[in-house]
Amino acid sequence: MTAHLLPLVMIGGLTSAGVYLLLERNLTRMLLGLLLIGNAVNLLILTVGGDAGNPPIRGRTSDGQTTTADPLAQGMILTAIVISMGIAAFVLALAYRSYQLNTAEEVETDPETARVAEGAELDADDVPDVVPSRDTDAPDELDALPGAEGSR
């Protein structure tokens, strides 16, 4: 089995462009990155699926082929297309809802994430030495199921 260079270059280009777009903060660009990676995976499955051959139906031949085509690759690609369209619809719904709430499509930086990224460490005064226990021997509303008071 020989690998053709053009599909491999296309797979690499689509994957790298998709990863680049996924790293953006704009939800539309993230969606485009997901779609590009999905198409790259479909091309990869098609390339790995092997050369063309006879249809996988008993008694059918095509152009004098001697081998039968692998139907698994085709089924996996159809499944991947359905999954990528579901993911695209979900991300579109997220982008639309985000635009409705914030009138912006840009994902904002979380303050806690920014603090961790800056390497800010906690002071020794901020961390308690002993965490007080909330569990006591006294009956509590969480100790039993509702209506089970008579079963004790």
Side-chain angles (χ1 to χ4, degrees), residues 16-78:
S16 60
V19 168
Y20 176 76
L21 288 173
L22 271 177
L23 295 175
E24 297 286 330
R25 289 197 169 276
N26 193 332
L27 286 174
T28 305
R29 290 185 183 181
M30 287 181 188
L31 173 64
L32 290 175
L34 282 171
L35 292 176
L36 284 178
I37 289 176
N39 288 332
V41 168
N42 290 343
L43 275 176
L44 179 66
I45 293 171
L46 185 65
T47 304
V48 172
D51 294 330
N54 289 325
I57 302 171
R58 185 173 204 108
R60 299 276 176 114
T61 58
S62 173
D63 293 334
Q65 297 284 337
T66 57
T67 60
T68 302
D70 186 16
L72 181 64
Q74 298 170 12
M76 288 178 66
I77 290 173
L78 286 174

Side-chain angles (χ1 to χ4, degrees), residues 35 80-90:
L35 292 176
I81 289 170
V82 171
I83 291 171
S84 66
M85 293 310 291
I87 290 173
F90 179 70

